[in-house]
């Protein structure tokens, strides 16, 4: 039996998370913008929880920490999710897809919107996980970096593939095998979160912006470009533009991408590095073009027809939120059945129509079109094959790599 000590976060990693939580991808609201996280967890107490100081090592057997499953005796499960990340009836009293799951299976779902940010939530459940105890939750929805950490530490249970026929058959190819969970043995995505290029066509004088090269080099955009303070999105898109794969990035590739970005900073091509606060500048035209999150653009385009977006020919970056069964959860089979249920095409369509995020479920288009044809034709919700083929994710980084990469990126953006 191998012992695993929870990893400590470096000062650079904590600083990067603080940027994300205060005005980055982590600070966006789940429905009106992108996703909510909150700022309270990165106080000294929150950071201390995440660094796992003084918590005993966790045990991992055969890659996962299992529990005595009570699903057959107890027809219930507890599901922790983000706010506004589930369909709800017009009167706000019921959650239709969850109610239908219970009607069909007899499994009651205790649904709790108690994830306000990844760091804070991990701080809540980490002590129990490290001690080998049940967290009181059978299913959680966390962002890819935290999902990777929980799997690596042995704090997620391996899923039973025999209970996942819909999920296995309908999971879109672009989400099938992240390097932190090959073959989706422990997790299934709830939604995808793309980073693309956006521009205000009025501010560009009618010109399209189609590449990172334009953002960094076009003198007509000088001083009116913003990039993101999220390292994986900004550096990832730059790497793609340079012909490099972020999923296989080397130290030399990373340094070359930073050097290219530094040249644009030195020439004052880039106005600033931003979190979600780029939205107001883009809307007003103060920023002509930028790297943006797709969830923002769906909302901005409702009120401003001048807001356009481009999926670069070189590709774009995608993050995911993911369903996991925590170690020692008492109702693993019930939770796994719920995961599979959300991969049924009509159910996936109903969820996507409400939350307006990239659905990880392939073949959902005809069902979504029955609900809203406009949503079904929006590639920011339902990527077509061409767009899906351009999706890339930043490879998993070791703790040492992440510290080094974030420190260098912080120097670039002046954080």
């Amino acid at each position: 039996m191998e012992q695993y000590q929870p990893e400590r976060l470096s000062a650079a990693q904590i600083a990067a998370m603080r940027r994300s939580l205060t005005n980055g991808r982590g600070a966006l609201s789940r429905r009106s913008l992108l996703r909510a996280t909150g700022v309270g967890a990165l106080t000294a107490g929150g950071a201390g929880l995440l660094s796992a100081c003084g918590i005993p090592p966790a045990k991992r057997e055969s890659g996962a920490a299992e529990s005595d499953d009570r699903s057959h005796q107890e027809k219930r499960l507890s599901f922790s999710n983000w706010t506004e990340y589930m369909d709800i009836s017009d009167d706000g009293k019921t959650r239709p897809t969850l109610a239908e799951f219970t009607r069909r299976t007899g499994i009651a779902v205790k649904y709790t919107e108690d994830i306000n940010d990844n760091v804070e939530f991990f701080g809540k459940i980490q002590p129990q996980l490290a001690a080998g105890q049940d967290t009181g939750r059978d299913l959680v929805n966390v962002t890819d970096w935290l999902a990777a950490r929980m799997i690596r530490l042995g704090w997620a249970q391996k899923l039973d593939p025999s209970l996942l026929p819909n999920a296995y058959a309908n999971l879109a190819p672009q989400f099938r095998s992240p390097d932190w969970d090959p073959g989706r043995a422990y997790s299934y995505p709830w939604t995808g979160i793309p980073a693309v290029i956006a521009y205000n066509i009025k501010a560009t004088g009618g010109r399209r912006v189609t590449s990172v090269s334009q953002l960094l080099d076009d003198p007509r955009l000088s001083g009116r470009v913003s990039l993101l303070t999220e390292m994986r999105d900004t550096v990832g898109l730059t790497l793609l533009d340079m012909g490099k794969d972020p999923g296989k990035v080397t130290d030399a590739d990373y340094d070359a991408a930073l050097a290219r970005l530094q040249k644009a900073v030195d020439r004052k091509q880039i106005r600033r590095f931003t979190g979600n606060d780029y939205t107001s500048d883009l809307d007003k035209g103060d920023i002509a073009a930028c790297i943006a999150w797709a969830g923002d653009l769906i909302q901005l385009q409702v009120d401003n027809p001048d807001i356009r977006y481009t999926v670069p020919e070189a590709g774009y970056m995608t993050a995911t939120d993911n369903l996991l069964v925590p170690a020692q959860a008492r109702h693993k089979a019930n939770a796994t059945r719920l995961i599979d249920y959300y991969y049924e095409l009509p159910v996936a369509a109903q969820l996507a129509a409400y939350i307006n995020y990239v659905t990880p479920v392939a073949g959902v288009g005809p069902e979504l079109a029955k609900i809203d044809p406009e949503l079904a034709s929006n590639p920011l919700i339902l990527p077509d094959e061409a767009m899906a083929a351009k999706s890339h994710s930043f490879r998993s980084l070791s703790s040492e790599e992440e510290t080094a990469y974030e420190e260098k990126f912080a120097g670039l953006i002046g954080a």
Side-chain angles (χ1 to χ4, degrees):
M1 181 180 296
E2 193 174 1
Q3 299 288 318
Y4 283 75
Q5 177 67 38
E7 303 161 359
R8 295 174 181 270
L9 291 181
S10 69
Q13 289 171 295
I14 292 172
M17 289 180 186
R18 184 177 291 114
R19 290 197 304 272
S20 176
L21 295 175
T22 53
N23 72 339
R25 186 198 307 165
L28 303 172
S29 72
R30 288 232 162 226
R31 191 138 190 256
S32 63
L33 289 175
L34 191 59
R35 67 165 146 210
T37 49
V39 298
L42 283 179
T43 60
L49 283 170
L50 191 55
S51 67
C53 296
I55 295 178
K59 296 180 180 179
R60 178 187 289 188
E61 290 186 41
S62 303
E66 301 292 333
S67 66
D68 294 326
D69 193 10
R70 302 180 183 179
S71 294
H72 291 299
Q73 305 99 302
E74 301 172 355
K75 295 296 183 181
R76 65 175 185 265
L77 71 94
S78 177
F79 179 10
S80 284
N81 204 354
W82 301 80
T83 59
E84 300 189 62
Y85 224 19
M86 177 69 72
D87 57 300
I88 193 166
S89 60
D90 291 340
D91 62 10
K93 294 182 179 179
T94 62
R95 301 187 181 278
T97 56
L98 285 177
E100 176 61 15
F101 174 77
T102 297
R103 188 193 68 79
R104 283 167 46 179
T105 65
I107 298 170
V109 181
K110 179 185 177 183
Y111 183 77
T112 309
E113 294 179 322
D114 62 344
I115 305 180
N116 297 309
D117 69 66
N118 286 289
V119 177
E120 180 186 56
F121 182 69
F122 192 46
K124 290 179 184 177
I125 64 175
Q126 187 186 35
Q128 295 102 309
L129 291 170
Q133 299 171 353
D134 176 21
T135 67
R137 299 164 176 87
D138 302 297
L139 191 64
V140 299
N141 188 7
V142 296
T143 305
D144 43 21
W145 68 266
L146 180 52
R149 185 178 293 270
M150 289 179 65
I151 292 169
R152 186 165 61 246
L153 292 172
W155 292 347
Q157 296 194 49
K158 201 167 188 177
L159 301 174
D160 181 351
S162 70
L163 298 177
L164 294 162
N166 293 298
Y168 181 81
N170 296 333
L171 178 60
Q174 74 181 93
F175 299 107
R176 280 195 174 270
S177 196
D179 66 351
W180 48 269
D181 187 15
R184 291 290 181 180
Y186 295 88
S187 69
Y188 270 84
W190 183 253
T191 192
I193 306 166
V196 296
I197 291 174
Y199 59 99
N200 184 317
I201 199 163
K202 185 175 180 180
T204 64
R207 288 177 290 108
R208 298 177 65 230
V209 181
T210 61
S211 69
V212 171
S213 289
Q214 278 181 270
L215 294 178
L216 300 183
D217 302 324
D218 187 343
R220 293 171 295 183
L221 297 175
S222 180
R224 297 189 298 149
V225 171
S226 70
L227 305 180
L228 294 171
T229 56
E230 297 282 350
M231 180 269 287
R232 286 169 175 81
D233 291 328
T234 291
V235 178
L237 279 162
T238 304
L239 285 164
L240 289 169
D241 193 71
M242 297 169 65
K244 302 293 186 179
D245 183 357
K248 299 176 181 178
V249 61
T250 65
D251 291 350
D253 293 337
Y254 186 83
D255 289 345
L258 283 194
R260 187 176 181 207
L261 289 164
Q262 187 67 60
K263 288 180 181 179
V265 170
D266 293 343
R267 293 196 318 271
K268 302 190 185 305
Q269 176 78 5
I270 300 169
R271 181 172 181 146
R272 62 193 181 105
F273 290 84
T274 76
N276 65 301
D277 49 329
Y278 69 84
T279 55
S280 60
D281 285 344
L282 181 65
D283 188 42
K284 292 183 293 185
D286 293 340
I287 290 293
C290 62
I291 294 175
W293 291 301
D296 290 352
L297 302 181
I298 294 172
Q299 299 299 319
L300 287 172
Q301 288 179 324
V302 171
D303 299 316
N304 188 346
D306 291 331
I307 303 300
R308 311 291 171 86
Y309 74 92
T310 300
V311 177
E313 187 61 34
Y316 66 100
M317 299 302 293
T318 300
T320 53
D321 285 334
N322 308 271
L323 299 172
L324 294 148
V325 178
Q328 305 303 328
R330 304 298 179 88
H331 307 99
K332 178 177 122 176
N334 292 344
T336 307
R337 290 181 69 183
L338 185 65
I339 295 173
D340 192 64
Y341 169 75
Y342 277 99
Y343 277 79
E344 293 182 13
L345 300 184
V347 179
Q350 190 170 346
L351 180 67
Y354 184 82
I355 66 174
N356 292 175
Y357 284 80
V358 169
T359 175
V361 183
V364 77
E367 293 293 337
L368 186 55
K370 294 176 185 177
I371 301 171
D372 189 327
E374 187 174 343
L375 291 180
S377 63
N378 189 335
L380 297 181
I381 296 174
L382 192 62
D384 55 25
E385 289 186 11
M387 181 171 174
K390 295 179 181 180
S391 172
H392 294 265
S393 296
F394 214 95
R395 74 167 172 85
S396 296
L397 300 175
S398 69
S399 243
E400 294 77 11
E401 287 177 321
E402 187 160 357
T403 295
Y405 284 18
E406 288 289 4
E407 284 178 348
K408 292 177 181 180
F409 188 67
L412 171 76
I413 68 176

